[in-house]
Amino acid sequence: MMAIPSLKKETKTQEIKRLPDPPYVLLSLLGYQEPLKPVIASGAHVQKYQLIAQSETHWSIKLHAPISGIANVVEYNGQRYLKITNDFKNDSIVCTPPKVASLNNQDILKVIRDAGIVGSGGAGFPTHIKYDVSDRPITHFIINGAECEPYLSADYALMNQAENHLWKTVQVIQKLLQADQVVLAIEKQHRELKKKMEHQIAQLNINIKIQLLGNDYPQGSELQLIKAVAGKIIPKGSITAHHGVVVSNIGTIAAIANALYLGIPYTERIVTISGEKARTKGNFLLKIGTPISYLLKQMGQDWLPSDHQIILGGPMMGSPIAHSEESISKGTGGVLLLKHLYQKTFNCIQCGYCADVCPQKLMPMEFARHAANDNIDGLQHFNLKSCIECGACAYVCPSDVPLISSILTGKQLIKTK
Amino acid sequence: MNLHPFIKAPRNTTQAIMLDVIVALIPIAMASYLAYGTLALTLLGTAITTAVVTDLLFSGILFGNWKTPLDGTSVITAMLLTFTISPLTPWFVVAFGAAAAILFGKILWGGLGKNRFNPALVGREFMASVFPSILGASSIWATTSFINLPAQDFFTGAANEPVKTYLSSLLYNPSGALGEYSTFLIVLGGLYLTLRKRISWHIPTMLLGVFAISCVVIGDTVNLEYSFAGLLFGTIFMATDMPSSPNNAPGKIYYGAMIGLVTFILVWSGVKFSYLSYSILILNGFSSIISEVFKPNPWGETNNRLQKSEKIALLTIAILGVTFAVIYLHENHALIYVLVVYILYVVLKYASDFRHKLKYPI
Ligand code: SF4
Ligand code: SF4
């Protein structure tokens, strides 16, 4: 693991700003491992916060309208979206927050489910399923505030401007999980937050321990976080609750807080806009579905693919957009305008840097070797399955050995064996 | 489509690494110039030119890549090679060594990073085996009359004569091979590379530590013939060569320790001049196995200690076995056959295997 320099400092203390509502939103109909099905007719008028699509499997993910207007199913690059054209009437369904104190566990899970809440970190796992731990003993409920992706500061901004509801929500979830300990983990470089939040929490008489972690990437990755906080080494691919640990992002908690105390479904989130090529940098409260084209316009900037690339998420694990009609999803913590990398590919020089930084203690150069030779046994021998695709190895490799593509092809090889 | 990550560690390309090594070697080159003037520069220039031209020609012809010398490694190989020989070595011997180092030490393995042995040392053994009468002659080390700038007293005024001379000799002492004239500058280069994270402490510390401990344990240090500055130079610049040394920390610890031990055994058995070269080359051969045996325990996996210990024991026995074989061959002047086998091996391997994997990065 290693420290990565970035522009985080430039945006982290900026106040969360709002933008005027976009003229339309594009909501991806991709759920968790399955497509979502619209529950309204194409061309229908929808109200703000109205349920508009949901999955039909046990994941039961729900999608709500962030604005009011006319909804249509559209397709970009073979992906289906629900497009809502804003009528700017802000015609909203009436939201009545539940009486939190009188909710039992099943009620709380239902509130979370019906608000369409999934992890805000990017993987999009439905939160109501994660929290359904039945009678398993939970030793640690960990709130992930270690936004280890460089450039991103959305979680910092959220914690910096935290309202009491956020901490009360933590308490509700702690009771739901019957967790022995609640720990909020943040990076050492943000230690100024600790005192501030501790003060706030103490006034509410809530028991949350705030723990400072190292500044190394990927400290906020689930397995590394659990090790740092709970001292448990959990193999990749196992369900953390089976080891007595539940981890949630601070952003997810904020979404739940909105559902519990305002009755609002997951329809907006904080997003960091940054990168060397971004004219405006900062933290913005955006509607889910806000198209990138609209953001660029607000920033007074055009996308010049020859000059820069646009990344959704962090620079280490995010993904580049293919067209400017891609949009903010529930898991998008950042929109980054970064210059292109000019890769100077050499052979592997066995420097071992990649192995030094691998949080999973793997030997990434061996994946390049065995993926090139289609050697599945070799890939398995070096534990490819434990790789969390954090990108640390490729970040540090001086020869630009195609490590991530070897890892991805390698995993594909193993799967299709 | 582009894959993540979308940022890269700054100033960390392979060329930057090679440049750092060159930077660390330049003061040493200057010390050799101080000591032997144009004699040193001619050899250095000959080696670098030959190495770069060989690299250009053969990578160009065999790999179709005419930019290979830009990676900087052929310059480093040439410098390292020159720093292990006497200033009186004839220029054509050096040119031969540099060409052999690049061709047989690097290119036939498939180019940068794919070589198992340190190319500079491969070149050195080519010279030593092909020109034994020149390099083996004691006259080649009779360099006193060629010295430009004799040893200096850098501590005028200090009282204690032996201490003074000793300290001065650490700064500058024009005897031995071209890279050995300033212990101080060698250490400085090592510190620079450590700070820049181009080498780590593991190999040098373990190598020198084990060597020193072996000397103490045996006790009889009077009859041991070795050059401390030479040992230091090889430790810092040769044993830490990235492609030919293990790529993880525990592996490096074992590797360094074993070079220290093997070097001591060689010195103790009376191998002169080539002790460090042999020991590093022997361990080079085991480097990738060491990397694998000592690979870190992946996250969430349990460690099979017994199996690992067994592997380490076998590995150690194998390394010692090879060491004694080398001593035997050395004493019987039969190492030339090893060289012939080596040449056959790389040529055949290149033709049958390496040639087809040129586009693979590893
Ligand atoms: S991407 Fe995989 S192999 Fe590379 S550093 Fe991360 S976990 Fe290790
Ligand atoms: S970082 Fe790159 S060059 Fe270094 S060992 Fe890993 S793959 Fe090879």
Side-chain angles (χ1 to χ4, degrees):
Chain A
M1 304 214 285
M2 70 202 138
I4 298 177
S6 82
L7 297 177
K8 201 180 278 240
K9 270 209 188 71
E10 252 184 63
T11 56
K12 74 176 196 180
T13 51
Q14 283 194 28
E15 241 179 70
I16 301 168
K17 289 186 277 281
R18 276 182 175 275
L19 291 181
D21 281 353
Y24 60 91
V25 291
L26 286 160
L27 300 148
S28 165
L29 284 173
L30 214 62
Y32 184 76
Q33 301 182 341
E34 98 280 42
L36 303 181
K37 196 162 182 229
V39 295
I40 43 146
S42 212
H45 178 271
V46 295
Q47 284 179 296
K48 187 174 174 180
Y49 302 142
Q50 185 182 331
L51 177 70
I52 50 174
Q54 61 184 1
S55 68
E56 290 173 320
T57 62
H58 72 292
W59 301 117
S60 58
I61 293 175
K62 295 179 196 278
L63 193 62
H64 303 79
I67 53 175
S68 63
I70 306 295
N72 279 299
V73 176
V74 295
E75 220 171 273
Y76 284 105
N77 272 22
Q79 251 224 63
R80 274 158 49 92
Y81 295 86
L82 256 181
K83 177 175 181 172
I84 304 176
T85 311
N86 202 343
D87 59 9
F88 291 103
K89 290 196 183 120
N90 211 12
D91 161 24
S92 168
I93 58 170
V94 186
C95 299
T96 29
K99 293 207 169 46
V100 177
S102 61
L103 298 179
N104 65 25
N105 286 353
Q106 282 315 311
D107 296 337
I108 296 170
L109 290 175
K110 189 168 172 304
V111 170
I112 295 174
R113 186 191 73 199
D114 289 343
I117 289 167
V118 299
S120 71
F125 190 81
T127 305
H128 64 97
I129 292 181
K130 184 186 260 189
Y131 288 171
D132 192 2
V133 294
S134 26
D135 290 333
R136 279 207 183 79
I138 300 297
T139 57
H140 291 80
F141 172 43
I142 304 175
I143 305 155
N144 190 352
E147 202 173 25
C148 63
E149 277 272 13
Y151 294 87
L152 302 195
S153 60
D155 289 350
Y156 183 99
L158 173 64
M159 291 185 283
N160 200 18
Q161 285 174 248
E163 287 169 25
N164 290 347
H165 284 159
L166 191 68
W167 311 122
K168 286 192 190 151
T169 305
V170 173
Q171 197 179 25
V172 172
I173 301 166
Q174 183 266 333
K175 285 209 184 104
L176 166 72
L177 298 171
Q178 288 297 314
D180 302 341
Q181 255 197 72
V182 183
V183 182
L184 166 60
I186 60 174
E187 285 184 292
K188 220 183 280 158
Q189 55 176 331
H190 305 147
R191 64 175 80 74
E192 66 276 6
L193 277 181
K194 184 175 185 214
K195 221 185 229 141
K196 187 170 173 178
M197 294 193 291
E198 263 167 355
H199 182 72
Q200 204 182 1
I201 294 166
Q203 282 195 332
L204 294 170
N205 221 345
I206 297 175
N207 198 357
I208 303 175
K209 184 181 152 206
I210 298 180
Q211 185 172 341
L212 295 179
L213 306 172
N215 296 328
D216 294 331
Y217 181 84
Q219 185 63 73
S221 161
E222 192 168 74
L223 303 179
Q224 280 64 40
L225 182 71
I226 293 173
K227 162 91 192 303
V229 173
K232 295 179 186 176
I233 297 182
I234 299 179
K236 184 182 170 244
S238 60
I239 297 169
T240 64
H242 294 182
H243 300 266
V245 183
V246 173
V247 182
S248 268
N249 247 293
I250 187 77
T252 315
I253 308 281
I256 300 173
N258 278 344
L260 281 178
Y261 292 97
L262 305 174
I264 297 178
Y266 197 1
T267 47
E268 55 184 17
R269 66 158 297 148
I270 304 169
V271 177
T272 303
I273 299 179
S274 182
E276 280 77 11
K277 295 284 185 178
R279 209 169 284 165
T280 320
K281 303 180 187 66
N283 308 305
F284 295 86
L285 186 63
L286 298 180
K287 296 272 181 288
I288 306 295
T290 304
I292 303 307
S293 57
Y294 172 76
L295 281 182
L296 290 170
K297 206 155 138 214
Q298 290 292 317
M299 292 155 66
Q301 194 167 3
D302 282 324
W303 178 25
L304 302 169
S306 57
D307 176 64
H308 56 260
Q309 48 187 344
I310 301 182
I311 311 298
L312 293 187
M316 298 299 286
M317 297 184 75
S319 49
I321 61 170
H323 55 85
S324 62
E325 292 304 291
E326 290 196 33
S327 63
I328 303 295
S329 71
K330 291 176 181 177
T332 311
V335 176
L336 304 176
L337 280 75
L338 300 172
K339 53 179 192 287
H340 291 285
L341 290 177
Y342 290 97
Q343 303 217 315
K344 284 196 163 177
T345 313
F346 290 103
N347 290 338
C348 168
I349 54 168
Q350 297 291 333
C351 63
Y353 291 168
C354 52
D356 283 347
V357 299
C358 176
Q360 295 291 94
K361 309 256 179 283
L362 305 175
M363 303 242 289
M365 68 296 253
E366 297 298 333
F367 302 144
R369 185 196 312 278
H370 296 305
N373 291 309
D374 291 340
N375 179 353
I376 295 175
D377 293 339
L379 291 166
Q380 282 172 331
H381 174 70
F382 284 97
N383 294 71
L384 178 59
K385 65 175 194 321
S386 298
C387 165
I388 57 171
E389 291 163 35
C390 68
C393 51
Y395 170 82
V396 83
C397 175
S399 281
D400 282 327
V401 172
L403 293 170
I404 296 295
S405 72
S406 303
I407 286 166
L408 298 180
T409 7
K411 286 189 175 175
Q412 208 54 43
L413 276 176
I414 292 179
K415 219 187 256 167
T416 53
K417 182 170 85 157
Chain B
M1 196 169 78
N2 282 345
L3 286 174
H4 64 107
F6 303 99
I7 50 174
K8 285 288 298 186
R11 294 173 294 283
N12 190 47
T13 59
T14 291
Q15 281 164 317
I17 296 177
M18 299 311 162
L19 190 65
D20 274 336
V21 179
I22 294 175
V23 167
L25 286 172
I26 282 176
I28 298 170
M30 296 202 299
S32 74
Y33 173 69
L34 270 187
Y36 292 95
T38 45
L39 214 53
L41 280 196
T42 318
L43 291 186
L44 213 47
T46 309
I48 293 177
T49 317
T50 322
V52 170
V53 170
T54 313
D55 204 7
L56 184 73
L57 283 181
F58 283 95
S59 329
I61 295 167
L62 294 177
F63 308 165
N65 179 356
W66 296 92
K67 288 192 187 146
T68 308
L70 292 180
D71 66 27
T73 49
S74 38
V75 176
I76 296 178
T77 300
M79 290 176 92
L80 292 178
L81 176 86
T82 317
F83 289 151
T84 64
I85 54 171
S86 157
L88 298 186
T89 311
W91 67 269
F92 59 88
V93 175
V94 178
F96 169 78
I102 298 297
L103 182 59
F104 293 101
K106 185 173 81 172
I107 289 179
L108 288 180
W109 288 94
L112 173 71
K114 295 186 178 176
N115 49 302
R116 278 182 176 237
F117 298 93
N118 184 327
L121 294 178
V122 170
R124 190 182 187 279
E125 292 322 311
F126 266 79
M127 290 190 292
S129 310
V130 175
F131 302 101
S133 55
I134 300 180
L135 293 187
S138 55
S139 63
I140 205 165
W141 294 106
T143 56
T144 330
S145 56
F146 296 90
I147 293 179
N148 248 5
L149 178 76
Q152 302 284 307
D153 181 1
F154 295 101
F155 298 93
T156 38
N160 191 331
E161 192 62 36
V163 171
K164 214 164 76 166
T165 324
Y166 176 68
L167 287 178
S168 294
S169 75
L170 286 184
L171 280 181
Y172 179 69
N173 177 27
S175 88
L178 279 163
E180 304 177 3
Y181 304 144
S182 174
T183 308
F184 172 73
L185 291 179
I186 295 171
V187 172
L188 199 67
L191 287 179
Y192 175 73
L193 292 179
T194 312
L195 281 180
R196 300 281 298 142
K197 294 214 174 75
R198 304 318 186 196
I199 65 176
S200 59
W201 60 269
H202 308 90
I203 295 174
T205 319
M206 293 309 292
L207 198 165
L208 296 173
V210 168
F211 186 82
I213 291 171
S214 310
C215 289
V216 171
V217 168
I218 296 296
D220 166 33
T221 48
V222 196
N223 295 320
L224 295 182
E225 259 188 74
Y226 67 93
S227 143
F228 179 67
L231 188 65
L232 203 62
F233 179 81
T235 299
I236 290 175
F237 290 100
M238 304 273 203
T240 56
D241 172 53
M242 285 172 174
S244 57
S245 63
N247 52 26
N248 50 48
K252 283 179 185 162
I253 289 181
Y254 175 81
Y255 175 86
M258 287 308 290
I259 296 183
L261 182 65
V262 171
T263 308
F264 178 79
I265 296 174
L266 292 173
V267 170
W268 199 43
S269 327
V271 175
K272 290 201 183 75
F273 307 127
S274 284
Y275 44 88
L276 188 59
S277 178
Y278 291 168
S279 63
I280 294 177
L281 286 171
I282 291 171
L283 265 294
N284 281 170
F286 289 94
S287 162
S288 57
I289 305 176
I290 297 176
S291 287
E292 216 214 296
V293 169
F294 286 88
K295 88 178 159 93
N297 207 19
W299 191 272
E301 298 287 321
T302 40
N303 198 351
N304 191 336
R305 274 165 207 275
L306 188 70
Q307 211 177 15
K308 190 164 169 176
S309 318
E310 212 173 286
K311 279 189 194 162
I312 297 173
L314 285 175
L315 194 59
T316 313
I317 293 171
I319 294 170
L320 293 177
V322 173
T323 306
F324 290 114
V326 166
I327 294 174
Y328 177 80
L329 292 171
H330 175 82
E331 279 169 359
N332 294 289
H333 305 285
L335 276 171
I336 182 83
Y337 301 117
V338 176
L339 195 73
V340 173
V341 172
Y342 174 87
I343 295 175
L344 282 177
Y345 175 81
V346 281
V347 171
L348 289 178
K349 263 301 227 190
Y350 180 79
S352 67
D353 182 14
F354 300 157
R355 193 160 60 92
H356 305 296
K357 294 187 174 168
L358 289 179
K359 61 177 192 305
Y360 296 175
I362 179 168

